Amino acid sequence: MAEQNKSKTKLQEDIKIQGEIVRKLKSEKADKEQINEEVAKLLALKAELGDDGPVKNFVLKTPKGTRDYGPPQMAIREGAFNKIISTFKRHGAETLDTPVFELKETLTGKYGEDSKLIYDLADQGGELLSLRYDLTVPFARFLAMNKIVSIKRYHIAKVYRRDNPAMTRGRYREFYQCDFDIAGQYDPMIPDAECIKIVAEILQSLDLGNFVVKVNHRKLLDGMFAACGVPDDKFRCICSAVDKLDKTFWNDVRSEMIDEKGLDPTAADKIGEYVQLKGGLELIDKLLQDENLNKQKLAVEGLEDLKLMLKYCDIFGILDKVSFDLSLARGLDYYTGVIYEAVLTGYSHKPNSGEGEAESVGSVAGGGRYDGLVGMFDPKNKMVPCVGVSIGIERLFAILEARAQASENKVRTTSTDVFVISAQKNMLEDRLKLCTELWNNDIRTEQSYKKNPKMLSQLQTCETEGIPLAVVIGQSEIENNIVKLRNIATREEREVPRANMVEEIIAELDKLRNQSK
């Protein structure tokens, strides 16, 4: 081994010497043939060294469609996650987690045309696996596997899609989803309306401006397609085409239906008359009188469901945020009933408008009813009705980050409430004792890691990191068994007995929090 290391060292030294020869010849503009000859010798030596040689031209980047998140970004994300989780818990949800990868057969056939975006993994010991595409299919598998027929759950985790990323719009290949689902047999539209209420609460808590929750019904779509003359075997592919209306124009969707999906132009034109309609209860009543639609049982059932759901939305106080929109299709195969999608009206995507991507975030939440999905995993095809919503958290983050960058207010990346400051030298042990007492009382505390830090540098740390309070000690404070409590923003100081320090700090922090509300 020692002989091998010696040989390796000799080889590395030869490479260094040969490299200097090449550099010297190039700087002297020597004969090209001579340079090439010496370069060849250098390459031969490097080849002899093999893989142990120094790595050159290594590209430091994240994979396409992914990104790193530094402390400022994570502070924004954590704040948003806390508000979302608080909303989920307020509505009685419990949480669970599932593996980041599933058996490939679990995911196959559940996403329609989007199945091509699933990441397949190499065979690892006899199982064909894929990274999860969303959190809904794993949830359905979990219910079937554990024979659960009733649960209200939320799940926040990363999912993976081999999509064309649009980073500034918050569209990635690896991203978080925040899902809320209600599984169980309940009376119609009560859980469905609550899911829409949850979306409204989350968007209002994040203070992102005006928004609208578009709603439609899969049964109404199927009934509408039948009334327009669409063959049964084309329902799903036509539904996927209609789903693109929020990103492109009707003429483009019509062309796709006719040229790519093989739909009769007359049927496409009839669909066009319906999918451009939007409104509220008055539109539902109008469509219930439509001669073509009221002959379709599915269409009538869908309209009656929507009418009841909008009644509940009115009671929840969110009817003004809901729009019945016949262009909403949501292309995933597993939806069976009500479907919905939330859009920020100040940030909606406008095709060919020339607006920057940062303004065009598209939908920020979506979901619906999927009563048949659990049965697909059950050996006896036992049905568990489900309805849920997924928050498009990455798109919301894109807006929150842009807003933070535009703001003059610095994003706090720590939650430290108190910084322990020594006013003189040789007080490290006293600072450590103070920190220990504050930590033991669950007060978020920091101090300098230098033995004798300067007073000014400690105060600057407080200001830079936005720490609201400082506990200042010097020799006189120790002798008199007191500390000085300093408000960093106002620079006001007051003496506090050491015995009362903890309760005085807690009271001061409560006062500051109330002032900031």
Side-chain angles (χ1 to χ4, degrees):
M1 187 68 180
E3 191 66 34
Q4 186 180 353
N5 288 337
K6 185 177 179 182
S7 174
K8 180 179 173 182
T9 303
K10 173 70 167 62
L11 200 51
Q12 288 173 333
E13 186 63 31
D14 290 345
I15 289 171
K16 185 178 178 181
I17 293 169
Q18 188 63 28
E20 289 173 356
I21 292 171
V22 171
R23 281 191 291 274
K24 185 178 179 183
L25 288 173
K26 287 183 176 179
S27 66
E28 294 175 351
K29 297 184 180 179
D31 181 67
K32 189 175 182 181
E33 191 173 323
Q34 185 184 2
I35 292 174
N36 289 341
E37 184 180 335
E38 297 300 330
V39 167
K41 290 179 184 178
L42 177 62
L43 293 174
L45 287 169
K46 287 184 176 181
E48 192 178 341
L49 186 64
D51 293 336
D52 293 330
V55 178
K56 296 290 185 182
N57 300 324
F58 186 77
V59 178
L60 285 171
K61 66 183 287 292
T62 59
K64 184 179 180 182
T66 66
R67 61 171 289 194
D68 293 322
Y69 298 93
Q73 291 81 34
M74 287 305 298
I76 294 167
R77 293 166 78 84
E78 191 177 56
F81 277 139
N82 288 342
K83 289 179 180 179
I84 292 167
I85 292 171
S86 175
T87 303
F88 290 159
K89 287 185 174 181
R90 186 163 58 247
H91 286 262
E94 50 196 341
T95 191
L96 55 83
D97 196 13
T98 62
V100 73
F101 46 79
E102 297 275 350
L103 294 176
K104 184 177 180 180
E105 63 188 42
T106 299
L107 305 183
T108 301
K110 311 301 189 301
Y111 302 105
E113 292 185 359
D114 285 347
S115 290
K116 64 182 181 290
L117 303 180
I118 294 173
Y119 270 109
D120 292 331
L121 302 177
D123 181 9
Q124 297 288 337
E127 288 187 331
L128 293 177
L129 306 172
S130 299
L131 292 176
R132 61 186 173 203
Y133 179 87
D134 67 1
L135 301 177
T136 307
V137 170
F139 174 56
R141 189 265 306 152
F142 174 85
L143 295 181
M145 199 171 99
N146 293 283
K147 303 190 183 310
I148 295 170
V149 297
S150 176
I151 190 173
K152 186 190 293 185
R153 82 88 166 89
Y154 74 89
H155 188 183
I156 297 178
K158 286 183 176 181
V159 299
Y160 299 84
R161 297 185 182 179
R162 199 159 48 84
D163 203 353
N164 288 321
M167 306 289 277
T168 52
R169 284 177 56 194
R171 197 167 85 199
Y172 304 94
R173 288 181 166 182
E174 176 195 62
F175 57 95
Y176 274 99
Q177 279 195 338
C178 301
D179 280 20
F180 174 94
D181 294 84
I182 301 172
Q185 187 70 55
Y186 303 107
D187 286 334
M189 297 300 106
I190 302 172
D192 309 63
E194 185 170 357
C195 284
I196 295 175
K197 170 66 171 169
I198 286 167
V199 172
E201 286 182 12
I202 287 171
L203 294 180
Q204 284 167 339
S205 71
L206 293 174
D207 192 23
L208 293 167
N210 293 329
F211 63 89
V212 62
V213 183
K214 301 176 183 179
V215 300
N216 203 355
H217 202 295
R218 219 46 187 282
K219 287 184 179 180
L220 173 57
L221 281 168
D222 287 351
M224 179 187 74
F225 291 151
C228 293
V230 178
D232 290 356
D233 62 349
K234 290 188 183 296
F235 276 15
R236 286 296 165 258
C237 68
I238 296 303
C239 192
S240 293
V242 171
D243 191 41
K244 296 173 184 174
L245 276 171
D246 66 330
K247 304 178 186 72
T248 188
F249 298 107
W250 163 248
N251 286 339
D252 298 327
V253 172
R254 181 181 183 277
S255 297
E256 180 181 330
M257 289 178 176
I258 297 167
D259 300 336
E260 296 179 31
K261 316 290 187 186
L263 185 65
D264 182 270
T266 304
D269 290 336
K270 288 180 180 178
I271 291 171
E273 294 176 11
Y274 285 113
V275 296
Q276 298 183 63
L277 298 174
K278 59 183 69 175
L281 287 165
E282 74 292 338
L283 178 57
I284 292 175
D285 290 334
K286 179 182 175 183
L287 292 174
L288 282 168
Q289 305 303 315
D290 185 288
E291 290 186 7
N292 293 321
L293 289 181
N294 62 29
K295 293 175 186 175
Q296 302 293 331
K297 182 183 176 185
L298 287 177
V300 173
E301 288 177 0
L303 287 166
E304 293 291 356
D305 277 351
L306 286 167
K307 190 172 184 178
L308 181 59
M309 188 181 74
L310 290 186
K311 176 185 175 183
Y312 294 151
C313 287
D314 190 19
I315 295 170
F316 283 148
I318 56 168
L319 188 61
D320 61 322
K321 301 293 185 184
V322 180
S323 171
F324 170 39
D325 191 328
L326 272 86
S327 71
L328 179 64
R330 296 197 65 78
L332 297 178
D333 277 3
Y334 53 63
Y335 287 122
T336 58
V338 167
I339 51 177
Y340 34 81
E341 190 166 275
V343 176
L344 302 180
T345 53
Y347 296 87
S348 58
H349 184 63
K350 298 174 183 176
N352 303 328
S353 67
E355 291 185 358
E357 278 193 320
E359 293 295 313
S360 308
V361 294
S363 72
V364 293
R369 178 159 287 279
Y370 51 100
D371 289 347
L373 189 56
V374 178
M376 295 173 71
F377 296 109
D378 190 272
K380 298 180 181 178
N381 199 32
K382 185 177 180 180
M383 307 287 279
V384 178
C386 296
V387 63
V389 64
S390 180
I391 307 299
I393 192 67
E394 301 295 349
R395 290 180 171 180
L396 297 178
F397 286 149
I399 298 168
L400 292 171
E401 283 184 36
R403 178 190 291 175
Q405 288 173 2
S407 171
E408 294 181 0
N409 297 326
K410 185 179 181 291
V411 176
R412 278 202 71 188
T413 56
T414 72
S415 301
T416 307
D417 288 322
V418 178
F419 197 88
V420 177
I421 292 176
S422 55
Q424 295 163 292
K425 290 183 178 181
N426 302 320
M427 307 203 71
L428 173 61
E429 292 184 9
D430 296 291
R431 280 192 283 129
L432 294 177
K433 289 175 185 176
L434 277 174
C435 286
T436 302
E437 186 176 347
L438 295 176
W439 288 330
N440 290 344
N441 284 278
D442 199 28
I443 295 173
R444 292 175 292 210
T445 307
E446 281 191 89
Q447 58 132 5
S448 172
Y449 289 120
K450 289 187 176 182
K451 187 174 181 179
N452 294 309
K454 293 180 180 179
M455 177 84 169
L456 182 60
S457 67
Q458 294 172 87
L459 289 169
Q460 284 176 337
T461 297
C462 294
E463 293 184 1
T464 302
E465 296 186 8
I467 299 171
L469 291 180
V471 171
V472 184
I473 54 167
Q475 194 60 43
S476 63
E477 283 78 18
I478 292 171
E479 290 172 359
N480 293 308
N481 208 23
I482 61 170
V483 297
K484 284 182 180 174
L485 195 57
R486 181 184 178 97
N487 184 312
I488 298 299
T490 64
R491 302 187 178 183
E492 294 176 358
E493 283 187 352
R494 61 187 176 92
E495 293 182 350
V496 172
R498 175 68 182 267
N500 300 342
M501 178 184 68
V502 170
E503 59 185 82
E504 289 284 346
I505 287 173
I506 292 172
E508 189 70 22
L509 289 172
D510 286 341
K511 179 181 171 184
L512 291 172
R513 290 187 189 107
N514 290 330
Q515 287 174 354
S516 65
K517 287 180 181 178

